[in-house]
Amino acid sequence: MKLIARIAAPSAALVLAGLTATACAPQTSDNSAKGDDKSGTLRVWLFQEVNNKPKEQVVDAAVAAFRKANKGAEVEVEYIPVETRAQRIKAAFNDPKSAPDLIEYGNTDTAGYVKDGGLADVGEEFTAWAEAKDTDPTARQSVTVDGKIYGAPLFVGVRALYYRTDVFKELGIAAPKSQDELIATAKKIHKAKPELYGLAVGGAYTYGAMPFIWAQGGELAQESGGSYKAAIDSPAAQKGITAYTSLFGDDNCPAAKCASMGGNATVTAFASGKAAMAIGGDFSHQAVEAGAVKGKYAVVPLPGSKAGSIAPAFAGGNNIGVLKSSSHRTLAVDLMKQFTGKETQRKLFDAMGFLPTYTDVRAEVAKKEPFVEPFVRTLGAGAKFVPASPGWGQIDASLVLPTMFQEIVSGKKDVAAASGDAAKKMDTAFAAAG
């Protein structure tokens, strides 16, 4: 998974984009547990953050509450490196004896992990859980495969438009209200201030490019009868690709510098004062605050195709799932609820800035922290997700979309040819995934 989320915390950033490296692994044999012990020790694997202490304190409080409610149950939490998560989780699916009871996982991995046979269907318990009714629909979708639910959302991440208020004031311009205006504004700024990228963009910034495709009515793929077919080469998608790639050039962000940039690099360019605008996440806030532009920027939702509209954003985030092999299913589901419940998500926001997956809790934190408001508006306008196919992991790991963008901005292929080739690669991956 290329986690390009929190640039202040690279390992966590890896998580938001989704863990993808295991998606093409062979399906495991049936490892379902034969019992459901109501006591004993539950093992949990969570992701190690760059600054992990605040997360540990929140987790410790959740564990304490769980133990108080479940006498005779103990919990061992291990924080695993994001970089080696794929191998460890796949090995756990294949070896139930050494596997944990619960894992934290990136939300783009759900379909792949389900195909691997590792996650338990907890739909009955999730649906009956009172708090779950307030779960954001996109977050709920991220734990759902073929109508079944394989975990509970832990947090969500979404991107919006960061812009330099001092530069905009100096040039007498306002925050753009449409996609066309955004592109024109970026080029106007770069012309007036050649030392700045108007809008920092990256050829490897898949999640920054997706809103341009979705804003024009395009889709990555279409689902029919449980299988997916690429739609990246449709006329609407090509219109969005054309809009995004038009930002690479000497009139905004030179291809020689920007074609290889990912999300972290574009946000770093903004935070360091080298760009007037960038597409960054709620999780980018700390890094921008720590940069040269502190006090000189604002955030608005990324504009859509029509004036005043909001472009659909990719909804990243992490989930907590119960392994099918757990011999403590009932306890494990209870602990999953404790980790992902409203109280814990409130504390995770305060400690780490992770955006809650509950609509009511998100409204609470937006009142408390004004910087959250444009991201909450973006989610409320309708965020989108990647295809819920195990094949997406292979598509992401193979850099199909970054390759397409880079072929276009380098002049090697036009939009039709590059998107057509990308669609063929995507269809191959979808077919191989079944």
Side-chain angles (χ1 to χ4, degrees):
M1 131 175 126
K2 294 176 193 48
L3 301 186
I4 44 183
R6 294 180 287 286
I7 79 170
S11 66
L14 289 172
V15 175
L16 285 181
L19 308 168
T20 59
T22 63
C24 54
Q27 188 166 351
T28 57
S29 58
D30 182 30
N31 56 7
S32 301
K34 303 301 184 282
D36 185 11
D37 297 337
K38 301 302 193 295
S39 63
T41 301
L42 279 73
R43 298 179 61 221
V44 182
W45 287 356
L46 302 177
F47 291 131
Q48 175 88 32
E49 310 293 340
V50 171
N51 179 15
N52 206 57
K53 186 56 66 176
K55 181 176 182 177
E56 289 176 27
Q57 292 171 346
V58 174
V59 170
D60 288 349
V63 168
F66 169 80
R67 289 179 61 194
K68 185 176 181 180
N70 294 276
K71 303 300 182 184
E74 298 294 332
V75 179
E76 290 181 0
V77 178
E78 181 179 354
Y79 293 90
I80 66 172
V82 174
E83 297 78 11
T84 57
R85 81 231 161 258
Q87 301 92 313
R88 290 200 63 177
I89 291 174
K90 178 60 180 176
F93 291 167
N94 283 316
D95 184 14
K97 291 181 180 179
S98 65
D101 296 275
L102 293 94
I103 59 169
E104 178 179 355
Y105 66 94
N107 67 8
T108 61
D109 272 346
T110 309
Y113 286 178
V114 170
K115 186 186 180 187
D116 286 345
L119 297 175
D121 174 359
V122 296
E124 185 176 344
E125 296 95 332
F126 185 88
T127 304
W129 184 22
E131 292 193 356
K133 73 181 188 306
D134 296 319
T135 301
D136 175 83
T138 307
R140 184 181 178 119
Q141 180 188 352
S142 80
V143 293
T144 304
V145 178
D146 296 333
K148 297 180 179 180
I149 296 174
Y150 294 92
L154 179 64
F155 65 84
V156 66
V158 71
R159 293 163 179 81
L161 182 69
Y162 285 72
Y163 71 97
R164 288 277 298 276
T165 51
D166 56 337
V167 173
F168 275 60
K169 183 178 180 180
E170 180 186 340
L171 298 180
I173 53 180
K177 298 290 196 299
S178 69
Q179 193 174 89
D180 286 346
E181 195 176 317
L182 171 67
I183 294 168
T185 299
K187 294 180 178 181
K188 180 177 181 178
I189 292 170
H190 184 69
K191 185 175 182 179
K193 291 181 170 292
E195 73 279 10
L196 294 178
Y197 301 137
L199 170 64
V201 288
Y205 192 8
T206 304
Y207 297 104
M210 284 178 178
F212 289 78
I213 295 170
W214 289 327
Q216 296 297 338
E219 296 289 349
L220 305 178
Q222 296 284 359
E223 187 267 340
S224 178
S227 60
Y228 283 86
K229 183 169 179 57
I232 196 69
D233 57 344
S234 70
Q238 288 183 355
K239 189 174 180 181
I241 294 167
T242 299
Y244 186 68
T245 54
S246 73
L247 288 159
F248 294 81
D250 292 340
D251 55 356
N252 175 56
C253 201
K257 293 182 178 179
C258 302
S260 62
M261 293 205 305
N264 284 0
T266 62
V267 175
T268 298
F270 180 81
S272 63
K274 296 178 182 176
M277 294 184 285
I279 300 167
D282 54 280
F283 39 81
S284 306
H285 178 253
Q286 286 182 321
V288 175
E289 278 289 292
V293 298
K294 179 179 174 66
K296 298 183 289 186
Y297 74 93
V299 184
V300 293
L302 188 69
S305 59
K306 296 179 180 178
S309 66
I310 296 175
F314 167 70
N318 285 4
N319 305 323
I320 298 288
V322 175
L323 266 64
K324 190 186 291 186
S325 60
S326 172
S327 60
H328 301 90
R329 180 192 169 95
T330 300
L331 288 173
V333 170
D334 285 349
L335 184 55
M336 175 192 78
K337 292 178 183 178
Q338 192 68 55
F339 281 148
T340 60
K342 292 184 179 182
E343 186 58 30
T344 299
Q345 289 201 14
R346 288 186 184 99
K347 291 177 179 177
L348 274 175
F349 174 80
D350 290 340
M352 306 294 296
F354 293 170
L355 209 54
T357 64
Y358 300 100
T359 53
D360 56 337
V361 180
R362 252 197 330 252
E364 288 174 21
V365 302
K367 289 181 181 178
K368 185 164 58 175
E369 292 286 358
F371 83 85
V372 172
E373 190 270 341
F375 302 101
V376 173
R377 281 176 58 202
T378 298
L379 284 166
K384 294 176 77 74
F385 196 58
V386 298
S389 164
W392 178 257
Q394 178 61 29
I395 292 165
D396 197 29
S398 300
L399 305 178
V400 172
L401 296 184
T403 298
M404 175 188 73
F405 293 126
Q406 289 163 353
E407 287 173 342
I408 295 167
V409 302
S410 68
K412 290 181 180 178
K413 295 178 183 175
D414 61 19
V415 171
S419 63
D421 289 347
K424 290 176 186 174
K425 294 175 186 175
M426 290 174 71
D427 284 337
T428 298
F430 288 140

